Amino acid sequence: MTLQGVLLDIDGTLVLSNDAHAQTWVEAFAAYGYEIEFEQVRPMIGMGGDKIITKLVPGLTKESGDGQAIDERRKELVLNQYAAQMAPAKGGRELVLKMQEAGLHLVVASSASKEELETLLKAAQVEDLLEEATTSSDAESSKPAPDIVQAALDQGKFQPDRVVMLGDTPYDIESAGKAGVEVIAVRCGGFSDEQLSGAIAIYDDPADLLAHYDQSPLLKND
């Protein structure tokens, strides 16, 4: 069965943003009197912000107490301070062009807000290439729940076995797996091969996947 399309995570996959996101959480929590260490939050990057808040401060939610203010502060930091420091992942734009030339239908599957996603796509240098996307507003529950992946499947009108997802975190793998989608993982998000062991293949970054494109699951034909 020939592959129809690819679901694309952006953070950590096409743009090197995971450390920056962790730092914005540290600073946002600190602004409201919560002392959170970078090392506490970094392994959680890739799951939804609502889940990060509750895991770091049990009893606090995105909708109650300081949770909403913390999340808004984090978003401001991303948009106004840290986005300018984010570098594109090596080979990201070239890989997207290659997949499009190969006839693959690409849909972004991101938990970012629409405003954040626009900024991230610019940082990844692919904003002119990727038009179809799902954002946090398209999902009732964030990663590692399957909602975002399912929304991307629906938008692309895909069957789960006719696509793969490109991601960088164990939460991408868990989220996609619950929706019946296999994942190609990249290490540039900072997670170990053990943490990414649920992926069907692991590459250093988009450039590495591009270099091995002809032997990769992107040529799935079974």
Side-chain angles (χ1 to χ4, degrees):
M1 188 179 292
T2 304
L3 204 66
Q4 285 185 322
V6 179
L7 310 183
L8 294 171
D9 175 63
I10 302 299
D11 276 309
T13 300
L14 294 182
V15 61
L16 305 181
S17 56
N18 288 351
D19 285 351
H21 280 302
Q23 188 59 35
T24 64
W25 279 114
V26 171
E27 294 182 23
F29 272 105
Y32 291 88
Y34 298 90
E35 188 174 335
I36 299 295
E37 298 294 330
F38 179 89
E39 291 75 17
Q40 288 176 267
V41 67
R42 181 58 176 84
M44 299 180 187
I45 298 301
M47 69 170 64
D50 56 331
K51 294 181 171 66
I52 289 176
I53 289 171
T54 300
K55 281 183 174 292
L56 289 172
V57 183
L60 196 65
T61 73
K62 193 174 176 179
E63 292 78 31
S64 67
D66 294 328
Q68 186 173 2
I70 289 169
D71 189 57
E72 284 300 317
R73 178 60 181 151
R74 176 207 60 79
K75 182 179 175 182
E76 289 172 7
L77 287 166
V78 170
L79 295 174
N80 300 325
Q81 183 175 335
Y82 281 91
Q85 304 171 24
M86 295 176 184
K90 185 180 177 183
R93 182 177 177 86
E94 293 80 7
L95 177 62
V96 169
L97 286 167
K98 173 68 174 179
M99 291 189 292
Q100 289 177 329
E101 290 167 4
L104 292 171
H105 182 178
L106 307 182
V107 177
V108 173
S110 172
S111 294
S113 68
K114 184 178 180 181
E115 190 176 8
E116 284 178 280
L117 182 59
E118 289 175 358
T119 300
L120 293 166
L121 290 173
K122 287 179 182 177
Q125 299 179 358
V126 294
E127 76 276 14
D128 59 322
L129 301 179
L130 300 173
E131 296 180 357
E132 292 186 71
T134 57
T135 63
S136 56
S137 62
D138 298 305
E140 186 172 330
S141 188
S142 62
K143 294 177 184 176
D147 299 32
I148 285 288
V149 177
Q150 187 60 56
L153 287 172
D154 293 344
Q155 183 161 331
K157 297 181 173 58
F158 297 128
Q159 293 299 316
D161 62 347
R162 301 293 301 278
V163 299
V164 294
M165 181 170 179
L166 184 62
D168 69 298
T169 77
Y171 314 112
D172 292 322
I173 295 169
E174 183 178 348
S175 175
K178 289 174 179 175
V181 175
E182 295 180 322
V183 173
I184 298 172
V186 288
R187 300 182 180 97
C188 52
F191 289 86
S192 69
D193 284 15
E194 183 178 0
Q195 291 169 306
L196 301 174
S197 60
I200 56 172
I202 306 174
Y203 297 90
D204 289 339
D205 50 28
D208 186 28
L209 173 54
L210 181 60
H212 299 92
Y213 191 95
D214 290 346
Q215 295 81 42
S216 78
L218 291 173
L219 288 187
K220 178 180 178 181
N221 191 0
D222 50 30

